[in-house]
């Protein structure tokens, strides 16, 4: 899915549409992957790949939660039916903006797959930095709802939450405060990613 419910100022997907992979294409890819052997595919197969990571990204992946749920159910069922080596060695990886975290469909999905789920909500450090760029279409910030999801995930699912914090010219002034805030909120895996698009100046580099 390339659509999103946020309008982050630094997003590289500047022409978001409502494209969603069809079930037919998704099923075809699943079958292609599970039919793969060392003889017919040297890229990925159980002989050279000890496990499988099903990664869903966007846009905002939870906008297609019903399709994601269907894909995961199909893959797991087929791995069991085929006695596939990946049936006991797989993970589902999802990075979300957290806006739909409390949707009942999302919660049901996470409960069902909690033992095979690698999940993160993008938090740009502190509230000031996050809300400077990660905004809804009306310009309001998304920090509070995203952090509510983080706290619930830790408490309810006992999950470890890492962070991929995006740095851009519009929020560079908050870098120190943002990292400090993440540490104070219990993050022990913090990745800082600078956007590559234009806008950077020598002054921004000095601040960083």
């Amino acid at each position: 899915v390339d659509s999103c419910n946020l309008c982050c100022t630094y997003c590289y997907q500047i022409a978001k549409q409502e494209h969603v992979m069809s079930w037919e294409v998704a099923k075809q890819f699943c079958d292609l992957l599970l039919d793969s052997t060392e003889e017919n595919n040297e890229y990925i197969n159980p002989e050279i790949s000890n496990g499988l990571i099903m990664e869903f990204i966007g846009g905002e992946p939870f906008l297609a939660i019903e399709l994601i749920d269907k894909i995961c159910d199909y893959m797991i069922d087929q791995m069991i039916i085929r006695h596939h080596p990946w049936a006991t060695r797989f993970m589902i990886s999802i990075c979300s903006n957290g806006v739909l975290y409390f949707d009942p469909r999302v919660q049901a999905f996470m409960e069902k797959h909690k033992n095979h789920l690698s999940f993160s909500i993008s938090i740009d450090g502190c509230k000031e930095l996050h809300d400077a760029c990660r905004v809804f279409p009306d310009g309001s910030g998304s920090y509070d709802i995203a952090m509510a999801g983080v706290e619930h995930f830790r408490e309810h699912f006992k999950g470890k939450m890492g962070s991929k914090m995006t740095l851009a010219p519009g929020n560079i002034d908050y870098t120190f405060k943002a990292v400090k805030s993440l540490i104070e909120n219990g993050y022990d895996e913090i990745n800082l990613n600078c956007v590559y698009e234009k806008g950077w100046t020598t002054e921004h580099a000095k601040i960083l």
Side-chain angles (χ1 to χ4, degrees), residues 48 50 71 88-89 116 165 192 202:
I48 61 175
N50 291 328
I71 291 171
T88 56
R89 299 198 297 270
H116 292 274
M165 195 174 89
L192 306 182
T202 302

Side-chain angles (χ1 to χ4, degrees), residues 11-177:
C11 185
Y12 56 85
Q13 288 186 266
I14 58 175
K16 297 185 184 74
Q17 302 294 324
E18 299 297 324
H19 301 136
V20 179
M21 179 184 293
S22 69
W23 164 242
E24 289 72 23
V25 170
K27 181 178 180 298
Q28 184 179 13
F29 178 76
C30 292
D31 290 337
L32 180 68
L33 194 60
L34 293 175
D35 287 337
S36 178
T37 66
E38 194 170 21
E39 289 71 32
N40 67 24
N41 188 338
E42 296 180 358
Y43 176 61
I44 181 170
N45 60 70
E47 282 75 27
I48 61 175
S49 301
N50 291 328
L52 174 70
I53 298 176
M54 293 181 280
E55 185 168 10
F56 299 96
I57 59 173
E60 169 50 40
F62 282 153
L63 287 171
I65 183 59
E66 292 177 350
L67 176 61
I68 291 174
D69 191 33
K70 190 173 183 178
I71 291 171
C72 291
D73 282 350
Y74 180 76
M75 279 293 287
I76 294 169
D77 287 348
Q78 286 298 307
M79 288 189 293
I80 293 172
I81 291 170
R82 297 164 184 245
H83 301 285
H84 198 285
W86 290 338
T88 56
R89 299 198 297 270
F90 71 92
M91 290 294 291
I92 299 166
S93 175
I94 298 179
C95 180
S96 169
N97 60 30
V99 172
L100 294 175
Y101 175 82
F102 291 103
D103 185 305
R105 297 170 300 171
V106 172
Q107 286 296 299
F109 173 85
M110 296 183 69
E111 183 67 34
K112 179 165 61 174
H113 297 292
K114 61 184 178 183
N115 294 326
H116 292 274
L117 183 64
S118 174
F119 176 68
S120 65
I121 294 176
S122 297
I123 299 288
D124 283 350
C126 60
K127 182 177 176 64
E128 291 90 339
L129 187 149
H130 188 101
D131 286 348
C133 297
R134 298 187 67 82
V135 297
F136 288 97
D138 65 1
S140 60
S142 60
Y143 179 82
D144 291 338
I145 188 171
M147 277 303 298
V150 170
E151 293 168 3
H152 181 274
F153 180 74
R154 284 176 172 164
E155 181 177 340
H156 184 76
F157 292 104
K158 310 301 180 185
K160 179 181 178 181
M161 182 75 71
S163 177
K164 183 181 72 174
M165 195 174 89
T166 303
L167 299 177
N171 63 19
I172 197 69
D173 288 323
Y174 302 108
T175 305
F176 172 78
K177 185 175 182 180

